[in-house]
Amino acid sequence: DLRALEARLVLKGHSASVHDSCYLPGSGHLCTVSSDRTIRFWDPTDGEPLGTMGPGVTAQLCCAPNRSLNGIAVGGGENKSLFGGDFRL
């Protein structure tokens, strides 16, 4: 029953809605993207922020690890763009 679930970790830092999150297996970090136009990286063991990319030109809508690009997070913006970069910490 999903109603019985409790949060184990709350990530605080974005100033607007979070659209997506992903686990980056190469680094072991979590990545979140938001309407605040930032990409944030987190320690999944304690929720501590590790770094921020941005703000960018547009809200970030999705993220995913990309093993073929050596652990790079890739996402899309609301201006119909696709971005990629070396976001490893």
Side-chain angles (χ1 to χ4, degrees):
D1 186 4
L2 293 176
R3 293 172 289 188
L5 294 177
E6 292 183 35
R8 293 186 182 184
L9 189 65
V10 176
L11 307 174
K12 294 185 179 185
H14 283 291
S15 62
S17 299
V18 173
H19 295 290
D20 200 7
S21 64
C22 66
Y23 177 75
L24 302 172
S27 66
H29 300 142
L30 294 175
C31 174
T32 56
V33 294
S34 169
S35 287
D36 67 7
R37 303 182 337 229
T38 63
I39 302 166
R40 293 183 182 260
F41 297 89
W42 312 87
D43 182 329
T45 60
D46 59 11
E48 287 297 311
L50 299 172
T52 302
M53 300 293 293
V57 175
T58 182
Q60 306 305 320
L61 301 178
C62 59
C63 62
N66 189 324
R67 292 179 193 233
S68 67
L69 295 175
N70 197 20
I72 296 171
V74 176
E78 63 184 6
N79 64 354
K80 300 179 184 174
S81 65
L82 182 66
F83 66 88
D86 190 346
F87 300 136
R88 292 172 291 164
L89 298 175

Tab-separated table of all heavy atoms in Angstrom, residues 6-69:
chain	number	residue	atom	x	y	z
A	6	GLU	N	6.876	5.898	3.880
A	6	GLU	CA	7.407	7.118	4.467
A	6	GLU	C	8.683	7.503	3.742
A	6	GLU	O	9.451	6.645	3.321
A	6	GLU	CB	7.712	6.895	5.950
A	6	GLU	CG	6.486	6.681	6.803
A	6	GLU	CD	6.847	6.541	8.276
A	6	GLU	OE1	7.794	7.203	8.717
A	6	GLU	OE2	6.172	5.759	8.946
A	7	ALA	N	8.908	8.796	3.620
A	7	ALA	CA	10.130	9.275	2.969
A	7	ALA	C	11.342	8.931	3.826
A	7	ALA	O	11.344	9.152	5.031
A	7	ALA	CB	10.056	10.779	2.760
A	8	ARG	N	12.363	8.386	3.201
A	8	ARG	CA	13.617	8.099	3.899
A	8	ARG	C	14.600	9.247	3.761
A	8	ARG	O	15.510	9.392	4.558
A	8	ARG	CB	14.252	6.836	3.339
A	8	ARG	CG	13.460	5.601	3.624
A	8	ARG	CD	14.222	4.403	3.158
A	8	ARG	NE	13.432	3.198	3.383
A	8	ARG	CZ	13.874	2.000	3.151
A	8	ARG	NH1	15.089	1.823	2.688
A	8	ARG	NH2	13.121	0.962	3.374
A	9	LEU	N	14.394	10.045	2.723
A	9	LEU	CA	15.328	11.122	2.425
A	9	LEU	C	14.568	12.238	1.718
A	9	LEU	O	13.776	11.979	0.818
A	9	LEU	CB	16.420	10.575	1.503
A	9	LEU	CG	17.631	11.423	1.213
A	9	LEU	CD1	18.442	11.660	2.481
A	9	LEU	CD2	18.501	10.726	0.173
A	10	VAL	N	14.787	13.470	2.149
A	10	VAL	CA	14.186	14.632	1.503
A	10	VAL	C	15.324	15.517	1.016
A	10	VAL	O	16.199	15.893	1.790
A	10	VAL	CB	13.275	15.413	2.474
A	10	VAL	CG1	12.731	16.664	1.807
A	10	VAL	CG2	12.138	14.530	2.962
A	11	LEU	N	15.309	15.817	-0.278
A	11	LEU	CA	16.341	16.647	-0.878
A	11	LEU	C	15.823	18.075	-0.962
A	11	LEU	O	14.793	18.325	-1.573
A	11	LEU	CB	16.691	16.138	-2.280
A	11	LEU	CG	17.054	14.657	-2.382
A	11	LEU	CD1	17.240	14.263	-3.838
A	11	LEU	CD2	18.294	14.361	-1.574
A	12	LYS	N	16.530	19.008	-0.324
A	12	LYS	CA	16.094	20.403	-0.312
A	12	LYS	C	17.137	21.276	-0.975
A	12	LYS	O	18.315	21.170	-0.673
A	12	LYS	CB	15.860	20.873	1.125
A	12	LYS	CG	14.714	20.151	1.795
A	12	LYS	CD	14.437	20.708	3.158
A	12	LYS	CE	13.254	19.974	3.775
A	12	LYS	NZ	12.869	20.562	5.046
A	13	GLY	N	16.678	22.132	-1.899
A	13	GLY	CA	17.611	23.019	-2.568
A	13	GLY	C	17.043	23.688	-3.799
A	13	GLY	O	17.371	24.825	-4.089
A	14	HIS	N	16.174	22.993	-4.537
A	14	HIS	CA	15.554	23.609	-5.710
A	14	HIS	C	14.558	24.672	-5.245
A	14	HIS	O	13.932	24.528	-4.205
A	14	HIS	CB	14.819	22.558	-6.550
A	14	HIS	CG	15.733	21.709	-7.379
A	14	HIS	ND1	16.435	22.204	-8.456
A	14	HIS	CD2	16.044	20.387	-7.292
A	14	HIS	CE1	17.141	21.232	-8.998
A	14	HIS	NE2	16.929	20.113	-8.314
A	15	SER	N	14.414	25.719	-6.044
A	15	SER	CA	13.481	26.793	-5.697
A	15	SER	C	12.181	26.722	-6.498
A	15	SER	O	11.350	27.623	-6.401
A	15	SER	CB	14.153	28.151	-5.910
A	15	SER	OG	14.507	28.316	-7.268
A	16	ALA	N	12.011	25.668	-7.284
A	16	ALA	CA	10.788	25.468	-8.076
A	16	ALA	C	10.551	23.963	-8.215
A	16	ALA	O	11.319	23.154	-7.696
A	16	ALA	CB	10.925	26.139	-9.438
A	17	SER	N	9.520	23.602	-8.944
A	17	SER	CA	9.133	22.197	-9.101
A	17	SER	C	10.273	21.351	-9.648
A	17	SER	O	10.975	21.759	-10.570
A	17	SER	CB	7.955	22.078	-10.063
A	17	SER	OG	6.846	22.762	-9.567
A	18	VAL	N	10.426	20.155	-9.081
A	18	VAL	CA	11.392	19.174	-9.588
A	18	VAL	C	10.656	18.293	-10.586
A	18	VAL	O	9.599	17.750	-10.287
A	18	VAL	CB	11.982	18.329	-8.434
A	18	VAL	CG1	12.853	17.214	-8.973
A	18	VAL	CG2	12.770	19.225	-7.496
A	19	HIS	N	11.221	18.164	-11.791
A	19	HIS	CA	10.568	17.414	-12.857
A	19	HIS	C	11.049	15.971	-12.975
A	19	HIS	O	10.305	15.104	-13.410
A	19	HIS	CB	10.758	18.101	-14.206
A	19	HIS	CG	10.085	19.420	-14.273
A	19	HIS	ND1	8.723	19.564	-14.311
A	19	HIS	CD2	10.588	20.675	-14.285
A	19	HIS	CE1	8.410	20.838	-14.349
A	19	HIS	NE2	9.521	21.535	-14.331
A	20	ASP	N	12.303	15.712	-12.608
A	20	ASP	CA	12.838	14.372	-12.806
A	20	ASP	C	14.027	14.166	-11.891
A	20	ASP	O	14.630	15.123	-11.391
A	20	ASP	CB	13.263	14.202	-14.267
A	20	ASP	CG	13.378	12.742	-14.709
A	20	ASP	OD1	13.009	11.836	-13.924
A	20	ASP	OD2	13.843	12.508	-15.833
A	21	SER	N	14.343	12.918	-11.678
A	21	SER	CA	15.533	12.544	-10.919
A	21	SER	C	16.065	11.241	-11.493
A	21	SER	O	15.337	10.476	-12.120
A	21	SER	CB	15.208	12.377	-9.438
A	21	SER	OG	14.305	11.301	-9.248
A	22	CYS	N	17.355	11.014	-11.300
A	22	CYS	CA	17.940	9.762	-11.738
A	22	CYS	C	19.159	9.449	-10.884
A	22	CYS	O	19.743	10.331	-10.261
A	22	CYS	CB	18.301	9.783	-13.221
A	22	CYS	SG	19.611	10.920	-13.673
A	23	TYR	N	19.506	8.192	-10.864
A	23	TYR	CA	20.701	7.714	-10.184
A	23	TYR	C	21.798	7.568	-11.226
A	23	TYR	O	21.571	7.013	-12.300
A	23	TYR	CB	20.411	6.366	-9.514
A	23	TYR	CG	21.608	5.753	-8.843
A	23	TYR	CD1	22.074	6.261	-7.642
A	23	TYR	CD2	22.268	4.678	-9.411
A	23	TYR	CE1	23.185	5.706	-7.021
A	23	TYR	CE2	23.376	4.116	-8.798
A	23	TYR	CZ	23.825	4.632	-7.594
A	23	TYR	OH	24.912	4.088	-6.987
A	24	LEU	N	22.977	8.095	-10.931
A	24	LEU	CA	24.112	8.014	-11.847
A	24	LEU	C	25.045	6.920	-11.363
A	24	LEU	O	25.814	7.121	-10.424
A	24	LEU	CB	24.835	9.362	-11.906
A	24	LEU	CG	23.957	10.536	-12.346
A	24	LEU	CD1	24.694	11.845	-12.192
A	24	LEU	CD2	23.486	10.342	-13.771
A	25	PRO	N	24.962	5.725	-11.964
A	25	PRO	CA	25.722	4.585	-11.452
A	25	PRO	C	27.232	4.772	-11.466
A	25	PRO	O	27.924	4.251	-10.604
A	25	PRO	CB	25.300	3.426	-12.356
A	25	PRO	CG	24.640	4.023	-13.525
A	25	PRO	CD	24.167	5.380	-13.135
A	26	GLY	N	27.753	5.553	-12.394
A	26	GLY	CA	29.196	5.750	-12.451
A	26	GLY	C	29.760	6.479	-11.237
A	26	GLY	O	30.846	6.196	-10.767
A	27	SER	N	28.993	7.429	-10.726
A	27	SER	CA	29.449	8.226	-9.583
A	27	SER	C	28.752	7.849	-8.289
A	27	SER	O	29.221	8.183	-7.214
A	27	SER	CB	29.196	9.714	-9.855
A	27	SER	OG	27.794	9.967	-9.925
A	28	GLY	N	27.590	7.195	-8.398
A	28	GLY	CA	26.809	6.872	-7.205
A	28	GLY	C	26.001	8.044	-6.693
A	28	GLY	O	25.450	7.994	-5.605
A	29	HIS	N	25.884	9.131	-7.476
A	29	HIS	CA	25.136	10.306	-7.057
A	29	HIS	C	23.723	10.280	-7.602
A	29	HIS	O	23.420	9.553	-8.539
A	29	HIS	CB	25.826	11.581	-7.556
A	29	HIS	CG	27.212	11.746	-7.048
A	29	HIS	ND1	28.222	12.252	-7.819
A	29	HIS	CD2	27.773	11.459	-5.853
A	29	HIS	CE1	29.344	12.289	-7.126
A	29	HIS	NE2	29.100	11.795	-5.935
A	30	LEU	N	22.868	11.106	-7.013
A	30	LEU	CA	21.543	11.364	-7.553
A	30	LEU	C	21.603	12.674	-8.316
A	30	LEU	O	22.363	13.583	-7.959
A	30	LEU	CB	20.517	11.497	-6.431
A	30	LEU	CG	20.236	10.259	-5.597
A	30	LEU	CD1	19.292	10.608	-4.453
A	30	LEU	CD2	19.659	9.157	-6.448
A	31	CYS	N	20.784	12.789	-9.340
A	31	CYS	CA	20.680	14.008	-10.134
A	31	CYS	C	19.209	14.407	-10.169
A	31	CYS	O	18.342	13.553	-10.331
A	31	CYS	CB	21.195	13.739	-11.548
A	31	CYS	SG	20.992	15.098	-12.705
A	32	THR	N	18.912	15.705	-9.993
A	32	THR	CA	17.552	16.211	-10.118
A	32	THR	C	17.564	17.405	-11.064
A	32	THR	O	18.553	18.134	-11.156
A	32	THR	CB	16.955	16.640	-8.756
A	32	THR	OG1	17.814	17.615	-8.147
A	32	THR	CG2	16.782	15.452	-7.828
A	33	VAL	N	16.453	17.594	-11.785
A	33	VAL	CA	16.294	18.730	-12.685
A	33	VAL	C	14.985	19.445	-12.356
A	33	VAL	O	14.028	18.826	-11.915
A	33	VAL	CB	16.328	18.310	-14.172
A	33	VAL	CG1	17.691	17.779	-14.548
A	33	VAL	CG2	15.270	17.270	-14.486
A	34	SER	N	14.972	20.768	-12.578
A	34	SER	CA	13.879	21.561	-12.040
A	34	SER	C	13.483	22.722	-12.939
A	34	SER	O	14.237	23.145	-13.817
A	34	SER	CB	14.329	22.110	-10.678
A	34	SER	OG	13.468	23.091	-10.180
A	35	SER	N	12.305	23.271	-12.646
A	35	SER	CA	11.845	24.500	-13.284
A	35	SER	C	12.700	25.697	-12.893
A	35	SER	O	12.633	26.740	-13.534
A	35	SER	CB	10.393	24.795	-12.900
A	35	SER	OG	9.525	23.918	-13.560
A	36	ASP	N	13.497	25.578	-11.835
A	36	ASP	CA	14.378	26.688	-11.464
A	36	ASP	C	15.585	26.781	-12.391
A	36	ASP	O	16.480	27.579	-12.177
A	36	ASP	CB	14.794	26.616	-9.999
A	36	ASP	CG	15.693	25.436	-9.657
A	36	ASP	OD1	16.132	24.695	-10.557
A	36	ASP	OD2	15.962	25.255	-8.445
A	37	ARG	N	15.592	25.931	-13.444
A	37	ARG	CA	16.599	25.923	-14.512
A	37	ARG	C	17.949	25.382	-14.040
A	37	ARG	O	18.977	25.678	-14.626
A	37	ARG	CB	16.751	27.322	-15.118
A	37	ARG	CG	15.476	27.897	-15.656
A	37	ARG	CD	15.627	29.250	-16.284
A	37	ARG	NE	16.790	29.989	-15.829
A	37	ARG	CZ	16.785	31.241	-15.424
A	37	ARG	NH1	15.683	31.920	-15.426
A	37	ARG	NH2	17.901	31.834	-15.052
A	38	THR	N	17.941	24.600	-12.968
A	38	THR	CA	19.197	24.031	-12.486
A	38	THR	C	19.174	22.512	-12.533
A	38	THR	O	18.119	21.876	-12.548
A	38	THR	CB	19.514	24.452	-11.037
A	38	THR	OG1	18.503	23.942	-10.165
A	38	THR	CG2	19.607	25.952	-10.907
A	39	ILE	N	20.377	21.962	-12.558
A	39	ILE	CA	20.618	20.533	-12.409
A	39	ILE	C	21.390	20.412	-11.103
A	39	ILE	O	22.401	21.087	-10.911
A	39	ILE	CB	21.471	19.985	-13.565
A	39	ILE	CG1	20.792	20.254	-14.918
A	39	ILE	CG2	21.762	18.503	-13.377
A	39	ILE	CD1	21.702	20.055	-16.101
A	40	ARG	N	20.908	19.580	-10.193
A	40	ARG	CA	21.572	19.430	-8.895
A	40	ARG	C	21.990	17.986	-8.685
A	40	ARG	O	21.318	17.059	-9.125
A	40	ARG	CB	20.663	19.899	-7.769
A	40	ARG	CG	20.412	21.387	-7.827
A	40	ARG	CD	19.556	21.861	-6.659
A	40	ARG	NE	19.308	23.280	-6.782
A	40	ARG	CZ	19.975	24.216	-6.113
A	40	ARG	NH1	20.914	23.872	-5.255
A	40	ARG	NH2	19.693	25.487	-6.280
A	41	PHE	N	23.098	17.836	-7.976
A	41	PHE	CA	23.641	16.524	-7.657
A	41	PHE	C	23.643	16.348	-6.152
A	41	PHE	O	23.928	17.287	-5.400
A	41	PHE	CB	25.062	16.390	-8.226
A	41	PHE	CG	25.082	16.469	-9.716
A	41	PHE	CD1	25.215	17.692	-10.359
A	41	PHE	CD2	24.929	15.335	-10.489
A	41	PHE	CE1	25.212	17.779	-11.736
A	41	PHE	CE2	24.918	15.412	-11.873
A	41	PHE	CZ	25.062	16.635	-12.493
A	42	TRP	N	23.337	15.114	-5.708
A	42	TRP	CA	23.129	14.840	-4.296
A	42	TRP	C	23.826	13.556	-3.882
A	42	TRP	O	23.964	12.627	-4.670
A	42	TRP	CB	21.632	14.662	-4.021
A	42	TRP	CG	20.760	15.722	-4.595
A	42	TRP	CD1	20.226	15.756	-5.858
A	42	TRP	CD2	20.329	16.909	-3.946
A	42	TRP	NE1	19.477	16.894	-6.023
A	42	TRP	CE2	19.516	17.626	-4.868
A	42	TRP	CE3	20.520	17.446	-2.680
A	42	TRP	CZ2	18.912	18.824	-4.556
A	42	TRP	CZ3	19.919	18.648	-2.369
A	42	TRP	CH2	19.125	19.328	-3.294
A	43	ASP	N	24.185	13.500	-2.609
A	43	ASP	CA	24.685	12.268	-1.999
A	43	ASP	C	23.460	11.459	-1.583
A	43	ASP	O	22.670	11.919	-0.757
A	43	ASP	CB	25.535	12.599	-0.781
A	43	ASP	CG	26.138	11.373	-0.125
A	43	ASP	OD1	25.518	10.282	-0.174
A	43	ASP	OD2	27.223	11.506	0.452
A	44	PRO	N	23.265	10.261	-2.138
A	44	PRO	CA	22.058	9.498	-1.820
A	44	PRO	C	22.047	8.898	-0.413
A	44	PRO	O	21.021	8.427	0.039
A	44	PRO	CB	22.043	8.391	-2.882
A	44	PRO	CG	23.459	8.223	-3.269
A	44	PRO	CD	24.094	9.579	-3.129
A	45	THR	N	23.164	8.938	0.281
A	45	THR	CA	23.185	8.358	1.623
A	45	THR	C	22.651	9.320	2.681
A	45	THR	O	22.031	8.893	3.644
A	45	THR	CB	24.607	7.918	2.026
A	45	THR	OG1	25.486	9.045	2.003
A	45	THR	CG2	25.117	6.844	1.074
A	46	ASP	N	22.884	10.633	2.492
A	46	ASP	CA	22.447	11.587	3.511
A	46	ASP	C	21.676	12.787	2.953
A	46	ASP	O	21.238	13.652	3.701
A	46	ASP	CB	23.642	12.087	4.323
A	46	ASP	CG	24.716	12.761	3.482
A	46	ASP	OD1	24.463	13.048	2.293
A	46	ASP	OD2	25.818	12.996	4.018
A	47	GLY	N	21.527	12.866	1.625
A	47	GLY	CA	20.778	13.958	1.014
A	47	GLY	C	21.536	15.268	0.917
A	47	GLY	O	20.962	16.289	0.541
A	48	GLU	N	22.816	15.255	1.214
A	48	GLU	CA	23.604	16.484	1.134
A	48	GLU	C	23.820	16.891	-0.319
A	48	GLU	O	24.099	16.046	-1.164
A	48	GLU	CB	24.959	16.298	1.819
A	48	GLU	CG	24.867	16.242	3.327
A	48	GLU	CD	24.350	17.541	3.921
A	48	GLU	OE1	24.858	18.623	3.567
A	48	GLU	OE2	23.425	17.469	4.750
A	49	PRO	N	23.691	18.206	-0.619
A	49	PRO	CA	23.957	18.660	-1.976
A	49	PRO	C	25.447	18.568	-2.300
A	49	PRO	O	26.290	18.873	-1.460
A	49	PRO	CB	23.483	20.113	-1.964
A	49	PRO	CG	23.471	20.524	-0.529
A	49	PRO	CD	23.270	19.282	0.267
A	50	LEU	N	25.755	18.131	-3.515
A	50	LEU	CA	27.142	17.982	-3.942
A	50	LEU	C	27.550	19.026	-4.974
A	50	LEU	O	28.729	19.320	-5.123
A	50	LEU	CB	27.360	16.587	-4.525
A	50	LEU	CG	27.117	15.431	-3.574
A	50	LEU	CD1	27.172	14.119	-4.330
A	50	LEU	CD2	28.122	15.457	-2.446
A	51	GLY	N	26.587	19.570	-5.700
A	51	GLY	CA	26.905	20.564	-6.713
A	51	GLY	C	25.683	20.959	-7.502
A	51	GLY	O	24.669	20.266	-7.488
A	52	THR	N	25.789	22.094	-8.184
A	52	THR	CA	24.699	22.632	-8.989
A	52	THR	C	25.251	23.112	-10.319
A	52	THR	O	26.299	23.746	-10.362
A	52	THR	CB	24.026	23.821	-8.268
A	52	THR	OG1	23.551	23.388	-6.999
A	52	THR	CG2	22.871	24.381	-9.079
A	53	MET	N	24.540	22.797	-11.375
A	53	MET	CA	24.842	23.318	-12.712
A	53	MET	C	23.712	24.273	-13.076
A	53	MET	O	22.549	23.944	-12.921
A	53	MET	CB	24.903	22.201	-13.747
A	53	MET	CG	25.948	21.144	-13.486
A	53	MET	SD	27.629	21.714	-13.628
A	53	MET	CE	27.717	22.064	-15.367
A	54	GLY	N	24.038	25.444	-13.579
A	54	GLY	CA	23.014	26.390	-13.988
A	54	GLY	C	22.981	27.594	-13.068
A	54	GLY	O	23.864	27.762	-12.241
A	55	PRO	N	22.001	28.453	-13.234
A	55	PRO	CA	20.806	28.189	-14.024
A	55	PRO	C	21.059	28.292	-15.514
A	55	PRO	O	21.890	29.059	-15.959
A	55	PRO	CB	19.822	29.261	-13.569
A	55	PRO	CG	20.674	30.374	-13.072
A	55	PRO	CD	21.936	29.745	-12.560
A	56	GLY	N	20.302	27.485	-16.238
A	56	GLY	CA	20.376	27.485	-17.691
A	56	GLY	C	19.371	28.453	-18.289
A	56	GLY	O	18.730	29.229	-17.588
A	57	VAL	N	19.198	28.368	-19.576
A	57	VAL	CA	18.304	29.255	-20.309
A	57	VAL	C	16.841	28.873	-20.105
A	57	VAL	O	15.964	29.710	-20.122
A	57	VAL	CB	18.655	29.222	-21.819
A	57	VAL	CG1	17.679	30.035	-22.642
A	57	VAL	CG2	20.075	29.705	-22.024
A	58	THR	N	16.591	27.588	-19.875
A	58	THR	CA	15.219	27.095	-19.802
A	58	THR	C	15.079	26.094	-18.654
A	58	THR	O	16.070	25.580	-18.148
A	58	THR	CB	14.832	26.425	-21.144
A	58	THR	OG1	13.484	25.996	-21.084
A	58	THR	CG2	15.715	25.244	-21.459
A	59	ALA	N	13.839	25.848	-18.246
A	59	ALA	CA	13.585	24.827	-17.230
A	59	ALA	C	14.087	23.478	-17.729
A	59	ALA	O	13.977	23.171	-18.916
A	59	ALA	CB	12.097	24.749	-16.916
A	60	GLN	N	14.636	22.689	-16.843
A	60	GLN	CA	15.123	21.358	-17.200
A	60	GLN	C	14.010	20.358	-16.893
A	60	GLN	O	13.450	20.368	-15.808
A	60	GLN	CB	16.387	21.029	-16.403
A	60	GLN	CG	17.477	22.076	-16.544
A	60	GLN	CD	17.858	22.361	-17.979
A	60	GLN	OE1	17.944	21.457	-18.789
A	60	GLN	NE2	18.088	23.610	-18.309
A	61	LEU	N	13.691	19.497	-17.853
A	61	LEU	CA	12.527	18.624	-17.728
A	61	LEU	C	12.851	17.167	-17.448
A	61	LEU	O	12.037	16.462	-16.863
A	61	LEU	CB	11.666	18.724	-18.988
A	61	LEU	CG	11.154	20.130	-19.304
A	61	LEU	CD1	10.358	20.108	-20.589
A	61	LEU	CD2	10.329	20.673	-18.160
A	62	CYS	N	14.006	16.680	-17.887
A	62	CYS	CA	14.301	15.266	-17.666
A	62	CYS	C	15.800	15.043	-17.607
A	62	CYS	O	16.586	15.868	-18.054
A	62	CYS	CB	13.675	14.396	-18.751
A	62	CYS	SG	14.227	14.795	-20.412
A	63	CYS	N	16.175	13.930	-17.018
A	63	CYS	CA	17.586	13.571	-16.931
A	63	CYS	C	17.706	12.053	-16.947
A	63	CYS	O	16.776	11.349	-16.582
A	63	CYS	CB	18.228	14.141	-15.672
A	63	CYS	SG	17.531	13.562	-14.113
A	64	ALA	N	18.852	11.576	-17.393
A	64	ALA	CA	19.120	10.138	-17.425
A	64	ALA	C	20.616	9.923	-17.540
A	64	ALA	O	21.311	10.716	-18.173
A	64	ALA	CB	18.417	9.486	-18.605
A	65	PRO	N	21.116	8.877	-16.926
A	65	PRO	CA	22.533	8.560	-17.135
A	65	PRO	C	22.731	8.061	-18.556
A	65	PRO	O	21.828	7.481	-19.147
A	65	PRO	CB	22.808	7.466	-16.113
A	65	PRO	CG	21.479	6.839	-15.860
A	65	PRO	CD	20.457	7.919	-16.063
A	66	ASN	N	23.890	8.294	-19.103
A	66	ASN	CA	24.192	7.830	-20.447
A	66	ASN	C	25.559	7.167	-20.428
A	66	ASN	O	26.581	7.833	-20.472
A	66	ASN	CB	24.167	8.996	-21.434
A	66	ASN	CG	24.257	8.536	-22.862
A	66	ASN	OD1	24.949	7.579	-23.169
A	66	ASN	ND2	23.558	9.223	-23.737
A	67	ARG	N	25.555	5.853	-20.344
A	67	ARG	CA	26.814	5.106	-20.234
A	67	ARG	C	27.708	5.273	-21.447
A	67	ARG	O	28.915	5.290	-21.337
A	67	ARG	CB	26.525	3.634	-19.995
A	67	ARG	CG	25.923	3.397	-18.636
A	67	ARG	CD	25.623	1.935	-18.439
A	67	ARG	NE	24.779	1.785	-17.274
A	67	ARG	CZ	25.055	0.976	-16.277
A	67	ARG	NH1	26.134	0.247	-16.302
A	67	ARG	NH2	24.247	0.900	-15.257
A	68	SER	N	27.109	5.435	-22.636
A	68	SER	CA	27.930	5.584	-23.836
A	68	SER	C	28.680	6.915	-23.842
A	68	SER	O	29.651	7.071	-24.553
A	68	SER	CB	27.083	5.449	-25.095
A	68	SER	OG	26.188	6.526	-25.208
A	69	LEU	N	28.214	7.884	-23.044
A	69	LEU	CA	28.904	9.166	-22.921
A	69	LEU	C	29.679	9.240	-21.610
A	69	LEU	O	29.928	10.310	-21.080
A	69	LEU	CB	27.900	10.320	-23.017
A	69	LEU	CG	27.197	10.461	-24.353
A	69	LEU	CD1	26.151	11.561	-24.281
A	69	LEU	CD2	28.185	10.748	-25.458
